[in-house]
Amino acid sequence: MTYYFLPGQTVAAPASGVPPLDINQIRADFPILQQQVNGRRLIWLDNAATTQKPQHVIDRISYFYKHENSNIHRAAHELAARATDAYEGAREKVKHFLHAASVNEIVFVRGATEAINLVAQSWGEQYLQAGDEIILSHLEHHANIVPWQQLAARKGLVIKVIPVDDDGQILLDEYARLLGPKTKLVSFTQVSNALGTVTPAKKMVEMAHQAGAKVLVDGAQAVSHLRADVQYLDCDWYVFSGHKVFGPTGIGVLYGKEALLNETQPWQGGGNMIKDVTFEHTQYHAAPGRFEAGTGNIADAVGLGAAIDYVNHIGIDLIHQYEHYLLQYATQLLKDIPGLRLIGTAPDKTSVLSFIFKDFTTEQVGAALNQEGIAVRSGHHCAQPILRRFGVESTVRPSLAFYNSCSDVDTLVEALLRLRRSKI
């Protein structure tokens, strides 16, 4: 697919019947992008931290509270039926979005962090024993490190780490050496939040399964950029956060193979997850109910369903193609700026452009860009081990989404060049 540019607009040239990607129309769908910051048009380049919400999602959440608000399941009245239909309808949408085999494999949680903690504190507590080994990668977000460290400290487990090369790519030969009879779990990110590296997830899952280990894939940074297919990956668990895919905060998903979920003890007790309770014994529901204790985030689950509808309407493959082009465009311009060093240069990566800038702290760069209306993240991105692998404590991290354009990138580059000239 090729792309061409008009003033103020970026579109994908039609190919094989694929409709054009009209950036002006897409931007108009996101009310927050219509504002100015410091007298400049807001350019949102902090998408790896959180994505903005289209009006479609905002309206769906508002409609829920105006017309459907009720607790779900078990009630006999009309609003409970509406709320239940909306909530379970969202679960169905997630099932199709991830290409899961059943809605029973979709558990609603607060986000990817809670999903990983759920697996650690339920399956991990139940099945892992002293001396068992967990393999993580050097690319991981803290949310895919700390829960396993806590579990390892409690149970006497061993954590091993897959190294990466100087571009930020997983070293599969080293990974193969780490796998062994004591390996019980491999947990890794599909896309690095700090570098944008896309890991060879399917191959890594296959290798872990050959060693007899279970596999968790952190898809938080992948779902808004790449087609998700848990059956193709054959992972045992897959996690993501709604706010990373144009949905609300405070809602996320744990996918787990149905049999595995049903073999796993609940991690929280309360209402909604029980079949029967006496003071002597409790019977739990099968998945997903056994992992959804209490009143969940019903409205935002519905909002996540609306976000998935929006992404599906545009097409995740078209989004991926467009963002890949935009990433190439931005990379070419940034790498030519004097004193700028890109951190993470894997050939296969998504829309993350971490860098450091000679003579400036990351905080100074972030503040200067904010004055131009450009929102980027500066800091360690909750991924300190991988940044330290590259000899830095923090980076500036512009990150792209399909509502960004070449014009946004040009404005970023011009602001950085002005900042560079200020030191000359």
PDB file of all heavy atoms in Angstrom, residues 41-76:
ATOM      1  N   ARG A  41      -2.149  23.931  18.377  1.00  0.00           N
ATOM      2  CA  ARG A  41      -2.973  22.742  18.196  1.00  0.00           C
ATOM      3  C   ARG A  41      -2.359  21.569  18.958  1.00  0.00           C
ATOM      4  O   ARG A  41      -1.159  21.319  18.858  1.00  0.00           O
ATOM      5  CB  ARG A  41      -3.062  22.410  16.700  1.00  0.00           C
ATOM      6  CG  ARG A  41      -3.819  21.123  16.386  1.00  0.00           C
ATOM      7  CD  ARG A  41      -3.913  20.913  14.879  1.00  0.00           C
ATOM      8  NE  ARG A  41      -2.621  20.646  14.272  1.00  0.00           N
ATOM      9  CZ  ARG A  41      -2.084  19.416  14.159  1.00  0.00           C
ATOM     10  NH1 ARG A  41      -2.723  18.365  14.655  1.00  0.00           N
ATOM     11  NH2 ARG A  41      -0.926  19.262  13.548  1.00  0.00           N
ATOM     12  N   LEU A  42      -3.191  20.882  19.736  1.00  0.00           N
ATOM     13  CA  LEU A  42      -2.687  19.723  20.482  1.00  0.00           C
ATOM     14  C   LEU A  42      -2.233  18.639  19.521  1.00  0.00           C
ATOM     15  O   LEU A  42      -2.973  18.220  18.631  1.00  0.00           O
ATOM     16  CB  LEU A  42      -3.779  19.165  21.405  1.00  0.00           C
ATOM     17  CG  LEU A  42      -3.453  17.828  22.085  1.00  0.00           C
ATOM     18  CD1 LEU A  42      -2.251  17.949  23.014  1.00  0.00           C
ATOM     19  CD2 LEU A  42      -4.675  17.296  22.834  1.00  0.00           C
ATOM     20  N   ILE A  43      -0.996  18.192  19.720  1.00  0.00           N
ATOM     21  CA  ILE A  43      -0.462  17.038  18.993  1.00  0.00           C
ATOM     22  C   ILE A  43      -0.209  15.951  20.028  1.00  0.00           C
ATOM     23  O   ILE A  43       0.710  16.061  20.848  1.00  0.00           O
ATOM     24  CB  ILE A  43       0.828  17.399  18.229  1.00  0.00           C
ATOM     25  CG1 ILE A  43       0.524  18.458  17.165  1.00  0.00           C
ATOM     26  CG2 ILE A  43       1.453  16.153  17.608  1.00  0.00           C
ATOM     27  CD1 ILE A  43       1.744  18.948  16.414  1.00  0.00           C
ATOM     28  N   TRP A  44      -1.033  14.930  20.023  1.00  0.00           N
ATOM     29  CA  TRP A  44      -0.951  13.880  21.041  1.00  0.00           C
ATOM     30  C   TRP A  44      -0.004  12.777  20.574  1.00  0.00           C
ATOM     31  O   TRP A  44      -0.341  11.966  19.707  1.00  0.00           O
ATOM     32  CB  TRP A  44      -2.343  13.306  21.331  1.00  0.00           C
ATOM     33  CG  TRP A  44      -2.317  12.314  22.462  1.00  0.00           C
ATOM     34  CD1 TRP A  44      -2.354  10.952  22.363  1.00  0.00           C
ATOM     35  CD2 TRP A  44      -2.225  12.615  23.858  1.00  0.00           C
ATOM     36  NE1 TRP A  44      -2.287  10.378  23.604  1.00  0.00           N
ATOM     37  CE2 TRP A  44      -2.209  11.380  24.549  1.00  0.00           C
ATOM     38  CE3 TRP A  44      -2.150  13.803  24.588  1.00  0.00           C
ATOM     39  CZ2 TRP A  44      -2.132  11.300  25.934  1.00  0.00           C
ATOM     40  CZ3 TRP A  44      -2.075  13.732  25.971  1.00  0.00           C
ATOM     41  CH2 TRP A  44      -2.066  12.487  26.632  1.00  0.00           C
ATOM     42  N   LEU A  45       1.187  12.774  21.128  1.00  0.00           N
ATOM     43  CA  LEU A  45       2.199  11.769  20.811  1.00  0.00           C
ATOM     44  C   LEU A  45       2.578  10.988  22.073  1.00  0.00           C
ATOM     45  O   LEU A  45       3.722  10.596  22.261  1.00  0.00           O
ATOM     46  CB  LEU A  45       3.446  12.434  20.195  1.00  0.00           C
ATOM     47  CG  LEU A  45       3.236  13.130  18.851  1.00  0.00           C
ATOM     48  CD1 LEU A  45       4.520  13.810  18.403  1.00  0.00           C
ATOM     49  CD2 LEU A  45       2.768  12.139  17.789  1.00  0.00           C
ATOM     50  N   ASP A  46       1.578  10.746  22.917  1.00  0.00           N
ATOM     51  CA  ASP A  46       1.780   9.974  24.147  1.00  0.00           C
ATOM     52  C   ASP A  46       0.871   8.747  24.145  1.00  0.00           C
ATOM     53  O   ASP A  46       0.316   8.349  25.162  1.00  0.00           O
ATOM     54  CB  ASP A  46       1.503  10.857  25.372  1.00  0.00           C
ATOM     55  CG  ASP A  46       2.065  10.267  26.654  1.00  0.00           C
ATOM     56  OD1 ASP A  46       2.919   9.360  26.584  1.00  0.00           O
ATOM     57  OD2 ASP A  46       1.640  10.702  27.740  1.00  0.00           O
ATOM     58  N   ASN A  47       0.752   8.132  22.984  1.00  0.00           N
ATOM     59  CA  ASN A  47      -0.202   7.049  22.807  1.00  0.00           C
ATOM     60  C   ASN A  47       0.217   5.746  23.468  1.00  0.00           C
ATOM     61  O   ASN A  47      -0.636   4.907  23.779  1.00  0.00           O
ATOM     62  CB  ASN A  47      -0.444   6.820  21.308  1.00  0.00           C
ATOM     63  CG  ASN A  47      -1.100   8.017  20.660  1.00  0.00           C
ATOM     64  OD1 ASN A  47      -2.272   8.288  20.877  1.00  0.00           O
ATOM     65  ND2 ASN A  47      -0.330   8.776  19.882  1.00  0.00           N
ATOM     66  N   ALA A  48       1.518   5.557  23.700  1.00  0.00           N
ATOM     67  CA  ALA A  48       1.956   4.347  24.400  1.00  0.00           C
ATOM     68  C   ALA A  48       1.555   4.399  25.870  1.00  0.00           C
ATOM     69  O   ALA A  48       1.433   3.354  26.519  1.00  0.00           O
ATOM     70  CB  ALA A  48       3.468   4.167  24.264  1.00  0.00           C
ATOM     71  N   ALA A  49       1.349   5.601  26.402  1.00  0.00           N
ATOM     72  CA  ALA A  49       0.873   5.737  27.786  1.00  0.00           C
ATOM     73  C   ALA A  49      -0.631   5.569  27.844  1.00  0.00           C
ATOM     74  O   ALA A  49      -1.159   4.802  28.646  1.00  0.00           O
ATOM     75  CB  ALA A  49       1.281   7.092  28.364  1.00  0.00           C
ATOM     76  N   THR A  50      -1.344   6.292  26.986  1.00  0.00           N
ATOM     77  CA  THR A  50      -2.792   6.103  26.864  1.00  0.00           C
ATOM     78  C   THR A  50      -3.243   6.698  25.543  1.00  0.00           C
ATOM     79  O   THR A  50      -2.641   7.668  25.056  1.00  0.00           O
ATOM     80  CB  THR A  50      -3.562   6.736  28.042  1.00  0.00           C
ATOM     81  OG1 THR A  50      -4.884   6.197  28.095  1.00  0.00           O
ATOM     82  CG2 THR A  50      -3.636   8.242  27.938  1.00  0.00           C
ATOM     83  N   THR A  51      -4.284   6.131  24.984  1.00  0.00           N
ATOM     84  CA  THR A  51      -4.833   6.643  23.737  1.00  0.00           C
ATOM     85  C   THR A  51      -6.063   7.491  24.030  1.00  0.00           C
ATOM     86  O   THR A  51      -6.723   7.342  25.063  1.00  0.00           O
ATOM     87  CB  THR A  51      -5.233   5.479  22.811  1.00  0.00           C
ATOM     88  OG1 THR A  51      -6.086   4.577  23.525  1.00  0.00           O
ATOM     89  CG2 THR A  51      -4.005   4.741  22.314  1.00  0.00           C
ATOM     90  N   GLN A  52      -6.389   8.379  23.107  1.00  0.00           N
ATOM     91  CA  GLN A  52      -7.574   9.226  23.264  1.00  0.00           C
ATOM     92  C   GLN A  52      -8.834   8.466  22.841  1.00  0.00           C
ATOM     93  O   GLN A  52      -8.760   7.404  22.227  1.00  0.00           O
ATOM     94  CB  GLN A  52      -7.401  10.520  22.483  1.00  0.00           C
ATOM     95  CG  GLN A  52      -6.232  11.354  22.957  1.00  0.00           C
ATOM     96  CD  GLN A  52      -6.331  11.752  24.429  1.00  0.00           C
ATOM     97  OE1 GLN A  52      -7.388  11.664  25.055  1.00  0.00           O
ATOM     98  NE2 GLN A  52      -5.210  12.180  25.011  1.00  0.00           N
ATOM     99  N   LYS A  53      -9.994   9.022  23.201  1.00  0.00           N
ATOM    100  CA  LYS A  53     -11.259   8.302  23.044  1.00  0.00           C
ATOM    101  C   LYS A  53     -12.120   8.968  21.970  1.00  0.00           C
ATOM    102  O   LYS A  53     -12.378  10.177  22.026  1.00  0.00           O
ATOM    103  CB  LYS A  53     -12.044   8.280  24.366  1.00  0.00           C
ATOM    104  CG  LYS A  53     -11.178   8.088  25.614  1.00  0.00           C
ATOM    105  CD  LYS A  53     -10.227   6.904  25.563  1.00  0.00           C
ATOM    106  CE  LYS A  53      -9.267   6.928  26.739  1.00  0.00           C
ATOM    107  NZ  LYS A  53      -8.139   5.988  26.563  1.00  0.00           N
ATOM    108  N   PRO A  54     -12.623   8.189  21.019  1.00  0.00           N
ATOM    109  CA  PRO A  54     -13.506   8.779  20.015  1.00  0.00           C
ATOM    110  C   PRO A  54     -14.877   9.099  20.620  1.00  0.00           C
ATOM    111  O   PRO A  54     -15.277   8.530  21.636  1.00  0.00           O
ATOM    112  CB  PRO A  54     -13.618   7.675  18.954  1.00  0.00           C
ATOM    113  CG  PRO A  54     -13.356   6.413  19.695  1.00  0.00           C
ATOM    114  CD  PRO A  54     -12.371   6.756  20.778  1.00  0.00           C
ATOM    115  N   GLN A  55     -15.587  10.011  19.972  1.00  0.00           N
ATOM    116  CA  GLN A  55     -16.915  10.399  20.447  1.00  0.00           C
ATOM    117  C   GLN A  55     -17.831   9.182  20.557  1.00  0.00           C
ATOM    118  O   GLN A  55     -18.701   9.120  21.440  1.00  0.00           O
ATOM    119  CB  GLN A  55     -17.526  11.430  19.490  1.00  0.00           C
ATOM    120  CG  GLN A  55     -18.822  12.056  20.000  1.00  0.00           C
ATOM    121  CD  GLN A  55     -18.598  12.921  21.226  1.00  0.00           C
ATOM    122  OE1 GLN A  55     -17.727  13.785  21.231  1.00  0.00           O
ATOM    123  NE2 GLN A  55     -19.369  12.690  22.282  1.00  0.00           N
ATOM    124  N   HIS A  56     -17.636   8.220  19.687  1.00  0.00           N
ATOM    125  CA  HIS A  56     -18.447   6.998  19.709  1.00  0.00           C
ATOM    126  C   HIS A  56     -18.355   6.296  21.070  1.00  0.00           C
ATOM    127  O   HIS A  56     -19.365   5.817  21.595  1.00  0.00           O
ATOM    128  CB  HIS A  56     -17.960   6.063  18.598  1.00  0.00           C
ATOM    129  CG  HIS A  56     -18.621   4.722  18.576  1.00  0.00           C
ATOM    130  ND1 HIS A  56     -19.936   4.532  18.204  1.00  0.00           N
ATOM    131  CD2 HIS A  56     -18.143   3.489  18.901  1.00  0.00           C
ATOM    132  CE1 HIS A  56     -20.236   3.252  18.297  1.00  0.00           C
ATOM    133  NE2 HIS A  56     -19.177   2.596  18.715  1.00  0.00           N
ATOM    134  N   VAL A  57     -17.162   6.243  21.640  1.00  0.00           N
ATOM    135  CA  VAL A  57     -16.971   5.604  22.951  1.00  0.00           C
ATOM    136  C   VAL A  57     -17.584   6.460  24.053  1.00  0.00           C
ATOM    137  O   VAL A  57     -18.279   5.957  24.949  1.00  0.00           O
ATOM    138  CB  VAL A  57     -15.479   5.354  23.205  1.00  0.00           C
ATOM    139  CG1 VAL A  57     -15.230   4.901  24.649  1.00  0.00           C
ATOM    140  CG2 VAL A  57     -14.936   4.310  22.232  1.00  0.00           C
ATOM    141  N   ILE A  58     -17.337   7.758  23.993  1.00  0.00           N
ATOM    142  CA  ILE A  58     -17.888   8.678  24.994  1.00  0.00           C
ATOM    143  C   ILE A  58     -19.409   8.617  25.001  1.00  0.00           C
ATOM    144  O   ILE A  58     -20.052   8.544  26.063  1.00  0.00           O
ATOM    145  CB  ILE A  58     -17.385  10.109  24.712  1.00  0.00           C
ATOM    146  CG1 ILE A  58     -15.862  10.175  24.853  1.00  0.00           C
ATOM    147  CG2 ILE A  58     -18.055  11.116  25.653  1.00  0.00           C
ATOM    148  CD1 ILE A  58     -15.240  11.446  24.309  1.00  0.00           C
ATOM    149  N   ASP A  59     -20.003   8.611  23.815  1.00  0.00           N
ATOM    150  CA  ASP A  59     -21.471   8.552  23.716  1.00  0.00           C
ATOM    151  C   ASP A  59     -22.016   7.235  24.241  1.00  0.00           C
ATOM    152  O   ASP A  59     -23.080   7.204  24.882  1.00  0.00           O
ATOM    153  CB  ASP A  59     -21.904   8.740  22.257  1.00  0.00           C
ATOM    154  CG  ASP A  59     -21.707  10.156  21.757  1.00  0.00           C
ATOM    155  OD1 ASP A  59     -21.502  11.059  22.596  1.00  0.00           O
ATOM    156  OD2 ASP A  59     -21.749  10.353  20.526  1.00  0.00           O
ATOM    157  N   ARG A  60     -21.280   6.144  23.982  1.00  0.00           N
ATOM    158  CA  ARG A  60     -21.791   4.826  24.427  1.00  0.00           C
ATOM    159  C   ARG A  60     -21.802   4.731  25.947  1.00  0.00           C
ATOM    160  O   ARG A  60     -22.748   4.188  26.541  1.00  0.00           O
ATOM    161  CB  ARG A  60     -20.926   3.702  23.833  1.00  0.00           C
ATOM    162  CG  ARG A  60     -21.465   2.284  24.175  1.00  0.00           C
ATOM    163  CD  ARG A  60     -22.828   2.075  23.560  1.00  0.00           C
ATOM    164  NE  ARG A  60     -23.465   0.814  23.967  1.00  0.00           N
ATOM    165  CZ  ARG A  60     -24.276   0.676  25.013  1.00  0.00           C
ATOM    166  NH1 ARG A  60     -24.529   1.738  25.801  1.00  0.00           N
ATOM    167  NH2 ARG A  60     -24.843  -0.471  25.294  1.00  0.00           N
ATOM    168  N   ILE A  61     -20.763   5.256  26.598  1.00  0.00           N
ATOM    169  CA  ILE A  61     -20.729   5.242  28.060  1.00  0.00           C
ATOM    170  C   ILE A  61     -21.834   6.124  28.623  1.00  0.00           C
ATOM    171  O   ILE A  61     -22.530   5.750  29.584  1.00  0.00           O
ATOM    172  CB  ILE A  61     -19.353   5.685  28.572  1.00  0.00           C
ATOM    173  CG1 ILE A  61     -18.281   4.693  28.121  1.00  0.00           C
ATOM    174  CG2 ILE A  61     -19.346   5.811  30.097  1.00  0.00           C
ATOM    175  CD1 ILE A  61     -16.870   5.171  28.372  1.00  0.00           C
ATOM    176  N   SER A  62     -22.025   7.299  28.023  1.00  0.00           N
ATOM    177  CA  SER A  62     -23.092   8.198  28.457  1.00  0.00           C
ATOM    178  C   SER A  62     -24.461   7.541  28.300  1.00  0.00           C
ATOM    179  O   SER A  62     -25.315   7.634  29.185  1.00  0.00           O
ATOM    180  CB  SER A  62     -23.031   9.498  27.646  1.00  0.00           C
ATOM    181  OG  SER A  62     -24.089  10.358  28.005  1.00  0.00           O
ATOM    182  N   TYR A  63     -24.664   6.857  27.182  1.00  0.00           N
ATOM    183  CA  TYR A  63     -25.944   6.178  26.938  1.00  0.00           C
ATOM    184  C   TYR A  63     -26.188   5.105  27.997  1.00  0.00           C
ATOM    185  O   TYR A  63     -27.322   4.948  28.488  1.00  0.00           O
ATOM    186  CB  TYR A  63     -25.953   5.557  25.541  1.00  0.00           C
ATOM    187  CG  TYR A  63     -27.275   4.916  25.185  1.00  0.00           C
ATOM    188  CD1 TYR A  63     -28.272   5.640  24.544  1.00  0.00           C
ATOM    189  CD2 TYR A  63     -27.524   3.578  25.498  1.00  0.00           C
ATOM    190  CE1 TYR A  63     -29.498   5.063  24.231  1.00  0.00           C
ATOM    191  CE2 TYR A  63     -28.746   2.987  25.191  1.00  0.00           C
ATOM    192  CZ  TYR A  63     -29.726   3.739  24.558  1.00  0.00           C
ATOM    193  OH  TYR A  63     -30.933   3.161  24.253  1.00  0.00           O
ATOM    194  N   PHE A  64     -25.137   4.392  28.366  1.00  0.00           N
ATOM    195  CA  PHE A  64     -25.292   3.360  29.392  1.00  0.00           C
ATOM    196  C   PHE A  64     -25.822   3.970  30.684  1.00  0.00           C
ATOM    197  O   PHE A  64     -26.778   3.458  31.277  1.00  0.00           O
ATOM    198  CB  PHE A  64     -23.959   2.643  29.651  1.00  0.00           C
ATOM    199  CG  PHE A  64     -24.045   1.630  30.767  1.00  0.00           C
ATOM    200  CD1 PHE A  64     -24.451   0.334  30.512  1.00  0.00           C
ATOM    201  CD2 PHE A  64     -23.747   1.986  32.073  1.00  0.00           C
ATOM    202  CE1 PHE A  64     -24.567  -0.600  31.537  1.00  0.00           C
ATOM    203  CE2 PHE A  64     -23.851   1.065  33.110  1.00  0.00           C
ATOM    204  CZ  PHE A  64     -24.265  -0.230  32.842  1.00  0.00           C
ATOM    205  N   TYR A  65     -25.204   5.046  31.136  1.00  0.00           N
ATOM    206  CA  TYR A  65     -25.632   5.645  32.394  1.00  0.00           C
ATOM    207  C   TYR A  65     -27.008   6.304  32.293  1.00  0.00           C
ATOM    208  O   TYR A  65     -27.741   6.384  33.286  1.00  0.00           O
ATOM    209  CB  TYR A  65     -24.588   6.646  32.883  1.00  0.00           C
ATOM    210  CG  TYR A  65     -23.407   5.973  33.536  1.00  0.00           C
ATOM    211  CD1 TYR A  65     -22.120   6.150  33.055  1.00  0.00           C
ATOM    212  CD2 TYR A  65     -23.577   5.140  34.642  1.00  0.00           C
ATOM    213  CE1 TYR A  65     -21.035   5.532  33.652  1.00  0.00           C
ATOM    214  CE2 TYR A  65     -22.505   4.520  35.243  1.00  0.00           C
ATOM    215  CZ  TYR A  65     -21.232   4.712  34.750  1.00  0.00           C
ATOM    216  OH  TYR A  65     -20.170   4.084  35.346  1.00  0.00           O
ATOM    217  N   LYS A  66     -27.383   6.744  31.105  1.00  0.00           N
ATOM    218  CA  LYS A  66     -28.702   7.364  30.934  1.00  0.00           C
ATOM    219  C   LYS A  66     -29.829   6.340  30.794  1.00  0.00           C
ATOM    220  O   LYS A  66     -30.964   6.610  31.191  1.00  0.00           O
ATOM    221  CB  LYS A  66     -28.691   8.262  29.689  1.00  0.00           C
ATOM    222  CG  LYS A  66     -27.882   9.538  29.836  1.00  0.00           C
ATOM    223  CD  LYS A  66     -27.908  10.325  28.532  1.00  0.00           C
ATOM    224  CE  LYS A  66     -27.140  11.627  28.656  1.00  0.00           C
ATOM    225  NZ  LYS A  66     -27.123  12.380  27.369  1.00  0.00           N
ATOM    226  N   HIS A  67     -29.522   5.168  30.214  1.00  0.00           N
ATOM    227  CA  HIS A  67     -30.599   4.266  29.820  1.00  0.00           C
ATOM    228  C   HIS A  67     -30.477   2.832  30.337  1.00  0.00           C
ATOM    229  O   HIS A  67     -31.467   2.096  30.317  1.00  0.00           O
ATOM    230  CB  HIS A  67     -30.686   4.200  28.283  1.00  0.00           C
ATOM    231  CG  HIS A  67     -30.962   5.514  27.646  1.00  0.00           C
ATOM    232  ND1 HIS A  67     -32.216   6.086  27.609  1.00  0.00           N
ATOM    233  CD2 HIS A  67     -30.139   6.395  27.015  1.00  0.00           C
ATOM    234  CE1 HIS A  67     -32.157   7.237  26.982  1.00  0.00           C
ATOM    235  NE2 HIS A  67     -30.904   7.461  26.616  1.00  0.00           N
ATOM    236  N   GLU A  68     -29.298   2.403  30.781  1.00  0.00           N
ATOM    237  CA  GLU A  68     -29.095   0.983  31.072  1.00  0.00           C
ATOM    238  C   GLU A  68     -28.541   0.716  32.466  1.00  0.00           C
ATOM    239  O   GLU A  68     -28.419  -0.444  32.857  1.00  0.00           O
ATOM    240  CB  GLU A  68     -28.132   0.371  30.042  1.00  0.00           C
ATOM    241  CG  GLU A  68     -28.618   0.462  28.614  1.00  0.00           C
ATOM    242  CD  GLU A  68     -27.515   0.204  27.597  1.00  0.00           C
ATOM    243  OE1 GLU A  68     -26.331   0.460  27.909  1.00  0.00           O
ATOM    244  OE2 GLU A  68     -27.841  -0.239  26.483  1.00  0.00           O
ATOM    245  N   ASN A  69     -28.176   1.742  33.200  1.00  0.00           N
ATOM    246  CA  ASN A  69     -27.410   1.537  34.433  1.00  0.00           C
ATOM    247  C   ASN A  69     -28.127   0.635  35.434  1.00  0.00           C
ATOM    248  O   ASN A  69     -29.227   0.927  35.904  1.00  0.00           O
ATOM    249  CB  ASN A  69     -27.121   2.881  35.095  1.00  0.00           C
ATOM    250  CG  ASN A  69     -26.247   2.707  36.319  1.00  0.00           C
ATOM    251  OD1 ASN A  69     -25.249   2.000  36.274  1.00  0.00           O
ATOM    252  ND2 ASN A  69     -26.622   3.335  37.417  1.00  0.00           N
ATOM    253  N   SER A  70     -27.478  -0.466  35.740  1.00  0.00           N
ATOM    254  CA  SER A  70     -27.974  -1.431  36.720  1.00  0.00           C
ATOM    255  C   SER A  70     -26.847  -2.403  36.990  1.00  0.00           C
ATOM    256  O   SER A  70     -25.918  -2.530  36.181  1.00  0.00           O
ATOM    257  CB  SER A  70     -29.184  -2.198  36.165  1.00  0.00           C
ATOM    258  OG  SER A  70     -29.491  -3.312  36.996  1.00  0.00           O
ATOM    259  N   ASN A  71     -26.930  -3.109  38.115  1.00  0.00           N
ATOM    260  CA  ASN A  71     -26.041  -4.246  38.266  1.00  0.00           C
ATOM    261  C   ASN A  71     -26.511  -5.348  37.317  1.00  0.00           C
ATOM    262  O   ASN A  71     -27.674  -5.367  36.887  1.00  0.00           O
ATOM    263  CB  ASN A  71     -26.012  -4.732  39.720  1.00  0.00           C
ATOM    264  CG  ASN A  71     -24.633  -5.253  40.095  1.00  0.00           C
ATOM    265  OD1 ASN A  71     -23.969  -5.898  39.282  1.00  0.00           O
ATOM    266  ND2 ASN A  71     -24.205  -4.969  41.307  1.00  0.00           N
ATOM    267  N   ILE A  72     -25.589  -6.250  36.995  1.00  0.00           N
ATOM    268  CA  ILE A  72     -25.869  -7.255  35.973  1.00  0.00           C
ATOM    269  C   ILE A  72     -26.246  -8.600  36.593  1.00  0.00           C
ATOM    270  O   ILE A  72     -26.012  -8.836  37.781  1.00  0.00           O
ATOM    271  CB  ILE A  72     -24.655  -7.429  35.041  1.00  0.00           C
ATOM    272  CG1 ILE A  72     -23.399  -7.760  35.857  1.00  0.00           C
ATOM    273  CG2 ILE A  72     -24.456  -6.179  34.212  1.00  0.00           C
ATOM    274  CD1 ILE A  72     -22.184  -8.091  35.022  1.00  0.00           C
ATOM    275  N   HIS A  73     -26.835  -9.453  35.757  1.00  0.00           N
ATOM    276  CA  HIS A  73     -27.164 -10.834  36.113  1.00  0.00           C
ATOM    277  C   HIS A  73     -28.206 -10.904  37.246  1.00  0.00           C
ATOM    278  O   HIS A  73     -28.339  -9.996  38.047  1.00  0.00           O
ATOM    279  CB  HIS A  73     -25.915 -11.641  36.497  1.00  0.00           C
ATOM    280  CG  HIS A  73     -24.843 -11.637  35.464  1.00  0.00           C
ATOM    281  ND1 HIS A  73     -23.492 -11.601  35.780  1.00  0.00           N
ATOM    282  CD2 HIS A  73     -24.895 -11.638  34.107  1.00  0.00           C
ATOM    283  CE1 HIS A  73     -22.773 -11.606  34.677  1.00  0.00           C
ATOM    284  NE2 HIS A  73     -23.595 -11.621  33.645  1.00  0.00           N
ATOM    285  N   ARG A  74     -28.962 -11.925  37.249  1.00  0.00           N
ATOM    286  CA  ARG A  74     -29.816 -12.355  38.369  1.00  0.00           C
ATOM    287  C   ARG A  74     -31.040 -11.489  38.654  1.00  0.00           C
ATOM    288  O   ARG A  74     -31.977 -11.956  39.266  1.00  0.00           O
ATOM    289  CB  ARG A  74     -29.003 -12.485  39.675  1.00  0.00           C
ATOM    290  CG  ARG A  74     -27.961 -13.584  39.621  1.00  0.00           C
ATOM    291  CD  ARG A  74     -27.308 -13.790  40.974  1.00  0.00           C
ATOM    292  NE  ARG A  74     -26.783 -12.594  41.580  1.00  0.00           N
ATOM    293  CZ  ARG A  74     -25.620 -12.035  41.250  1.00  0.00           C
ATOM    294  NH1 ARG A  74     -24.877 -12.558  40.300  1.00  0.00           N
ATOM    295  NH2 ARG A  74     -25.205 -10.957  41.875  1.00  0.00           N
ATOM    296  N   ALA A  75     -31.068 -10.229  38.263  1.00  0.00           N
ATOM    297  CA  ALA A  75     -32.244  -9.405  38.572  1.00  0.00           C
ATOM    298  C   ALA A  75     -33.356  -9.673  37.556  1.00  0.00           C
ATOM    299  O   ALA A  75     -33.109 -10.083  36.424  1.00  0.00           O
ATOM    300  CB  ALA A  75     -31.880  -7.928  38.579  1.00  0.00           C
ATOM    301  N   ALA A  76     -34.589  -9.389  37.961  1.00  0.00           N
ATOM    302  CA  ALA A  76     -35.745  -9.668  37.099  1.00  0.00           C
ATOM    303  C   ALA A  76     -36.217  -8.438  36.342  1.00  0.00           C
ATOM    304  O   ALA A  76     -37.153  -8.533  35.548  1.00  0.00           O
ATOM    305  CB  ALA A  76     -36.891 -10.213  37.950  1.00  0.00           C
TER     306      ALA A  76
END
